[in-house]
Amino acid sequence: MKEKKRAAASKKTKVIPIQWDATFFFERAVRSLDRYHYDKALKYFRRAVEYEPDNPVNHCNMAGILSEMGDYEESNRILRMIIDELDPAMTECHFYMANNFANMEMYEPAEDALVRYLEEDAEGQFLDEAEEMMELLHFELERPTKLAFIKAREGFYEHDQARAMLEEGKFVEAVRLLESIVEKNTEFLAARNNLALAYYYMGMFEKAMHTIGEVLEIEPGNLHALCNLAIFHQHAGNEEELRPLISQLCKTVPFHQEHVFKLATTMGILGEHGEAYRHFVRLMKEGSLRSDPCLYHYTAVAACNTGRLAEAERLWMQVAKMDPQSNVPGYYLEQLGRVREGGEPAPTSYHYHLPFEEQFKLWEKSSDTLPDHLKRDPLVRSSFFWALRHGDRNTKLQVIQALGMIADNEVKDALRDFIVEPQEDDYLKRIAIFVLRTIGVHESLKAVLEGEETVIEHSRMPSRLPIWEDKWQAVLEAALIRMNKHYDLVQQHDLLTLWIEFLSRVYPEVPKLGKVEGWAAALEYLTAKMHRRAISYHEVSERYGTSIATVSKCAKRIDEVCGIKEKMKMIFPSLTEQIRD
């Protein structure tokens, strides 16, 4: 008996007690899932929740089983409870809810849940699946989805926006956005490269070079940065720095199509047309750009510059077929004919539009305003911003007028910056102020005039007069309204200057301005004469609805005070008699 008792006791010690806890039921649930026994899996997950009711993962597993079983509403109820009560950081619940709503064909709520997932989830665990669902929702809702940004790609979405701004020539906006991206993510090299380009387009050369230097400190072999640096050195005429860089780029054989394209265009801009041709031909054979007329144009330019004139002709003829609305292939085929005759050098522009000078010839022939495509062209805009910073006085004057025709927020910001530059010419700054007022900037403006910081109030003209009467303004507006399409901005500004000079000299004994139109007509008449334009008292009196005698009287009074005849005698001796008409 004792032996039997000992044997029984020894058997008891070998029994392993079962640990009834959440982990036990979780494991049972997983086994059931592996065998597709969803009912059992749901039962086990519910038991797991009973043991650990505050564990959001258990609830989430239960919601997943319910979704597999087609009970989407109950699944979403649990997922909502997890987010609202247990763990708001479980952002993946929004993705699961979006799936459930999509399965119920409730596409609006599915979109809301999916957008919330993308905007809140930093890990991006289901990013690819979410983007696929976004395409489905776009198709079902027949509209773009309401997505502001993707948190898991924080900076990437904004970077795409900035790139689009650069392509549209919105350089100031692009700089602001790119600076904020780089500040948040110092390792985002693509954003740094584009920031350097934006600085370059705006004429901020030192900032552009510094930013490229930062990229190359982080990644010395960054191809985009090396290409940009080469172009910057070429622009600055840094031959010693440029030569080894060109040698390095000539030895580079990139794999990715984007890198091949960047290198090809860079080598073309640097004058290494043989290298450019080799890379462009490779793109035409291997790349997905073979249907893009731009690529054929670039290859044609490279071919032309390497003596392959027949090849260039064939390529430009192909461009004409692919893009029959464009005037680019026709212009370059005409240039090619001159090259063959020996009268012209090969064209070197790798941009798919007419050269800058040709575009402006068309503009001058067509109208008094810049065509929309020129206003949007980033190269045209960057040329303007460059010239505003680095051009001579006459070029800057022309650019300020052209910017007045574009008249968007970028232009307003550029002109605001221009008028506070101490080294810029005061006359040009006054023209810029006039342009800002003309294009609708009515708030107070800060400017540096005659070496002093000043604030020009919206209700005043830039003058030293202690007051500015409404009637003085009425004379000015009456003249400018009628001059708008007949005189350029410089001439309109000169009229403003003449009026201010007259009022300043006679103040406070300003004559009673009985008839506004008479004084306005006189101002236009004198301004036209100063700019050697044919005009008569009869012509202006009719346009302003006043008498010849009134215009003549007002013009002579202004001339007496401002000495216009004397000034013109020094500049145009033969014209002084014409003021008398």
Side-chain angles (χ1 to χ4, degrees):
M1 285 293 288
K2 288 181 180 178
E3 291 295 325
K4 288 183 179 179
K5 285 182 180 178
R6 277 198 296 270
S10 65
K11 284 182 181 177
K12 283 182 183 178
T13 58
K14 292 179 181 178
V15 174
I16 300 172
I18 297 174
Q19 187 72 28
W20 299 91
D21 59 11
T23 302
F24 171 80
F25 288 109
F26 173 80
E27 291 173 352
R28 290 289 189 278
V30 171
R31 286 183 201 168
S32 299
L33 275 178
D34 289 340
R35 296 168 184 159
Y36 302 103
H37 297 159
Y38 294 126
D39 289 341
K40 283 188 177 182
L42 179 59
K43 181 179 72 172
Y44 288 132
F45 274 133
R46 278 186 171 142
R47 292 298 304 274
V49 166
E50 289 173 8
Y51 275 93
E52 291 182 359
D54 295 329
N55 186 337
V57 175
N58 293 330
H59 291 273
C60 195
N61 289 330
M62 189 164 64
I65 290 293
L66 288 166
S67 180
E68 289 290 336
M69 297 173 69
D71 194 347
Y72 304 118
E73 291 184 6
E74 179 62 13
S75 176
N76 273 0
R77 185 193 67 76
I78 294 170
L79 292 167
R80 172 56 57 195
M81 184 269 295
I82 294 170
I83 294 168
D84 291 344
E85 301 175 19
L86 295 179
D87 188 359
M90 284 190 67
T91 51
E92 62 267 33
C93 291
H94 294 295
F95 175 71
Y96 300 143
M97 290 171 67
N99 266 299
N100 287 337
F101 281 126
N103 284 319
M104 290 188 285
E105 297 185 1
M106 298 171 66
Y107 299 117
E108 292 279 357
E111 179 190 45
D112 293 338
L114 190 60
V115 165
R116 189 160 179 190
Y117 167 72
L118 289 169
E119 292 182 347
E120 293 184 8
D121 184 73
E123 301 301 323
Q125 181 184 356
F126 300 107
L127 190 55
D128 291 340
E129 295 88 342
E131 288 180 338
E132 287 179 13
M133 193 189 301
M134 196 67 76
E135 291 181 13
L136 168 69
L137 295 177
H138 175 73
F139 174 77
E140 294 291 349
L141 294 171
E142 298 182 347
R143 61 167 173 75
T145 47
K146 310 168 190 174
L147 180 63
F149 73 99
I150 299 175
K151 190 173 181 66
R153 289 182 177 168
E154 192 165 12
F156 286 84
Y157 181 78
E158 292 87 343
H159 182 239
D160 287 342
Q161 285 183 306
R163 286 178 61 180
M165 290 172 185
L166 284 177
E167 290 169 4
E168 294 168 11
K170 298 177 179 177
F171 305 123
V172 176
E173 292 178 47
V175 163
R176 288 180 188 143
L177 186 52
L178 288 165
E179 284 177 340
S180 69
I181 294 169
V182 168
E183 187 179 348
K184 293 175 187 173
N185 187 352
T186 56
E187 301 295 317
F188 199 161
L189 299 187
R192 284 186 185 274
N193 269 321
N194 281 315
L195 178 58
L197 282 176
Y199 285 143
Y200 176 74
Y201 290 147
M202 292 175 66
M204 302 165 75
F205 188 70
E206 289 182 8
K207 279 192 170 186
M209 289 291 284
H210 176 73
T211 306
I212 282 295
E214 290 177 332
V215 175
L216 292 171
E217 280 180 17
I218 298 169
E219 187 181 304
N222 187 285
L223 183 62
H224 279 271
L226 291 170
C227 288
N228 291 338
L229 182 62
I231 291 169
F232 295 171
H233 279 318
Q234 184 194 52
H235 175 85
N238 300 333
E239 289 297 325
E240 289 187 13
E241 292 87 349
L242 182 59
R243 278 195 296 272
L245 198 48
I246 289 178
S247 178
Q248 180 182 351
L249 291 173
C250 285
K251 296 173 186 174
T252 304
V253 183
F255 174 75
H256 295 292
Q257 179 177 298
E258 179 190 355
H259 290 165
V260 177
F261 184 80
K262 177 71 175 181
L263 183 59
T265 53
T266 300
M267 298 311 281
I269 292 168
L270 295 174
E272 299 292 327
H273 302 294
E275 292 294 319
Y277 180 77
R278 181 165 64 88
H279 291 301
F280 282 130
V281 168
R282 180 182 162 193
L283 282 172
M284 292 185 72
K285 288 179 179 177
E286 303 172 6
S288 60
L289 296 173
R290 283 177 290 182
S291 60
D292 187 348
C294 298
L295 179 59
Y296 283 79
H297 168 69
Y298 304 145
T299 313
V301 173
C304 188
N305 279 277
T306 52
R308 300 173 170 91
L309 302 188
E311 172 73 357
E313 181 178 28
R314 183 186 69 78
L315 289 165
W316 273 316
M317 293 288 286
Q318 184 65 27
V319 175
K321 291 179 183 177
M322 296 169 74
D323 190 7
Q325 303 301 317
S326 174
N327 50 14
V328 171
Y331 169 80
Y332 280 97
L333 284 167
E334 187 178 322
Q335 292 297 107
L336 183 61
R338 295 196 181 104
V339 172
R340 281 176 164 152
E341 293 168 4
E344 293 272 352
T348 57
S349 174
Y350 281 84
H351 302 296
Y352 186 60
H353 56 53
L354 292 180
F356 191 72
E357 299 79 6
E358 290 297 318
Q359 295 196 57
F360 269 80
K361 283 180 188 176
L362 293 176
W363 161 49
E364 288 172 352
K365 289 177 184 176
S366 62
S367 67
D368 295 328
T369 60
L370 275 175
D372 286 341
H373 75 276
L374 282 184
K375 292 179 182 180
R376 294 190 300 267
D377 192 317
L379 291 168
V380 171
R381 294 171 70 96
S382 73
S383 298
F384 285 155
F385 290 131
W386 259 105
L388 190 62
R389 285 181 175 272
H390 305 292
D392 58 28
R393 188 176 186 273
N394 187 54
T395 300
K396 288 181 180 181
L397 187 59
Q398 292 176 325
V399 165
I400 291 169
Q401 293 186 78
L403 291 176
M405 297 176 195
I406 298 175
D408 59 16
N409 290 332
E410 291 276 311
V411 164
K412 293 171 185 176
D413 287 341
L415 293 178
R416 285 189 187 99
D417 291 341
F418 181 80
I419 63 177
V420 296
E421 289 291 340
Q423 73 274 16
E424 294 294 352
D425 183 271
D426 274 1
Y427 177 73
L428 294 178
K429 285 190 275 192
R430 291 179 187 278
I431 295 280
I433 292 167
F434 179 71
V435 169
L436 283 167
R437 294 296 188 223
T438 303
I439 62 180
V441 177
H442 300 304
E443 76 266 17
S444 299
L445 292 170
K446 292 181 181 178
V448 176
L449 295 170
E450 299 176 12
E452 295 181 3
E453 290 187 8
T454 184
V455 176
I456 301 165
E457 301 296 338
H458 70 92
S459 58
R460 294 179 52 81
M461 292 297 107
S463 72
R464 294 184 178 278
L465 287 161
I467 58 172
W468 185 260
E469 299 283 357
D470 290 343
K471 203 146 195 180
W472 303 349
Q473 182 68 23
V475 171
L476 190 59
E477 289 176 359
L480 293 177
I481 287 170
R482 289 171 175 82
M483 293 174 71
N484 187 27
K485 292 187 178 180
H486 305 286
Y487 295 78
D488 64 30
L489 288 169
V490 171
Q491 292 164 348
Q492 292 178 50
H493 174 265
D494 286 350
L495 178 141
L496 163 66
T497 304
L498 176 60
W499 185 228
I500 289 173
E501 182 185 356
F502 171 72
L503 293 172
S504 300
R505 290 193 178 198
V506 298
Y507 186 83
E509 305 298 328
V510 179
K512 291 183 179 180
L513 307 179
K515 193 163 186 183
V516 164
E517 288 75 12
W519 290 96
L523 286 171
E524 179 183 334
Y525 174 82
L526 292 171
T527 302
K529 290 296 183 184
M530 287 190 292
H531 284 273
R532 305 181 69 177
R533 293 184 57 153
I535 197 167
S536 67
Y537 284 139
H538 175 72
E539 179 186 339
V540 291
S541 65
E542 282 200 334
R543 283 204 296 111
Y544 283 81
T546 188
S547 67
I548 293 175
T550 301
V551 178
S552 174
K553 177 183 173 184
C554 294
K556 285 173 182 174
R557 178 68 177 129
I558 295 170
D559 179 35
E560 287 171 6
V561 173
C562 298
I564 297 171
K565 276 195 295 184
E566 294 304 315
K567 292 176 184 175
M568 291 182 66
K569 193 182 291 182
M570 292 185 289
I571 305 171
F572 309 119
S574 62
L575 295 181
T576 53
E577 291 300 313
Q578 294 184 29
I579 291 184
R580 298 181 196 149
D581 201 35

